[in-house]
Amino acid sequence: VDDVLSRFGDPVVVDCGAGKSYLGFILYELFLKPAGKGTLHAVESRPELVRKARELAAALGLERMRFEEASIEAAAPPQRVHLVTALHACDTATDDALALAVRHGADHVAVVPCCQAEVARQLGEAAAPAPLLAPLFEHPWHRREFGSHLTNVVRALALEASGYSVTVTELAGWEHSLKNELILGKKVRAGDVRARARLLELCAAAGVRPKLVRALFPPAT
């Protein structure tokens, strides 16, 4: 946030899967409001949450907060986006947030994934995964845990392939939340061919093709 505020005259922060917009209000109050610039664009599909967030922002006089009622996939934020966040966007909603960031050329990405089910399901249906990988997800419990880990590894590689420098770290201690993996990305180049090759090789070996890969790297490209 400090970086985009220092480099851009009117930065746009997009919070995906905003829920009650707690994160958006915090970012606005702590950063955008004191800076006197920047717009917080919250995307949430549930109309009742969008309505309440709009009412609260109006009551507090937060004029540069925008609330869009839409799925992340269908969202239409400003064309130029500087920071994309997503806090506990469930399953493939985090993939949608990352795809939005890449497509809009966001300078920074910060996501904390929640549950991940898609890859675990694909692992269970995989026809012929690499023999050395198969024992890692033979049992349903391991499939769920390995699928969750693999999902976030894929996300980090997809960001790297899209030109981001990536850091994966812990948001908070395990005593506060089990869903605490923080994926940070900073745009540093147009793309990385080697990271893309590693990503596609990993997916092929595991017999999976997650939503983020399908969105950013369709077979025809």
Side-chain angles (χ1 to χ4, degrees), residues 20-21 24-25 28-29 33 40 42 49-67:
K20 295 181 179 179
S21 290
F25 282 111
Y28 191 97
E29 285 287 342
K33 185 177 179 179
L40 193 292
L49 298 185
V50 174
R51 183 182 67 254
K52 290 180 180 179
R54 285 173 176 161
E55 292 172 353
L56 181 56
L60 295 174
L62 308 182
E63 298 178 351
R64 289 176 284 110
M65 289 192 77
R66 307 285 183 267
F67 302 92

Side-chain angles (χ1 to χ4, degrees), residues 11-97:
V12 174
V13 179
V14 178
D15 184 32
C16 296
K20 295 181 179 179
S21 290
Y22 292 153
L23 177 59
F25 282 111
I26 290 171
L27 291 174
Y28 191 97
E29 285 287 342
L30 293 183
F31 297 96
L32 304 189
K33 185 177 179 179
K37 63 179 182 179
T39 300
L40 193 292
H41 188 99
V43 178
E44 172 56 46
S45 63
R46 289 166 287 184
E48 68 279 9
L49 298 185
V50 174
R51 183 182 67 254
K52 290 180 180 179
R54 285 173 176 161
E55 292 172 353
L56 181 56
L60 295 174
L62 308 182
E63 298 178 351
R64 289 176 284 110
M65 289 192 77
R66 307 285 183 267
F67 302 92
E68 180 181 2
E69 182 186 325
S71 66
I72 301 171
E73 282 185 290
Q79 184 58 39
R80 183 66 173 97
V81 170
H82 301 86
L83 167 63
V84 170
T85 62
L87 177 60
H88 292 167
C90 281
D91 199 14
T92 58
T94 296
D95 293 320
D96 295 334

Side-chain angles (χ1 to χ4, degrees), residues 178-214:
L178 295 179
K179 307 296 185 181
N180 64 351
E181 184 171 336
L182 173 62
I183 301 175
L184 298 169
K186 179 180 180 180
K187 186 73 171 177
V188 294
R189 61 180 67 88
D192 187 326
V193 175
R194 292 180 61 188
R196 176 173 171 171
R198 291 174 64 206
L199 168 64
L200 297 180
E201 183 179 10
L202 174 62
C203 289
V208 300
R209 193 166 183 83
K211 186 175 185 180
L212 184 59
V213 175
R214 300 195 305 272

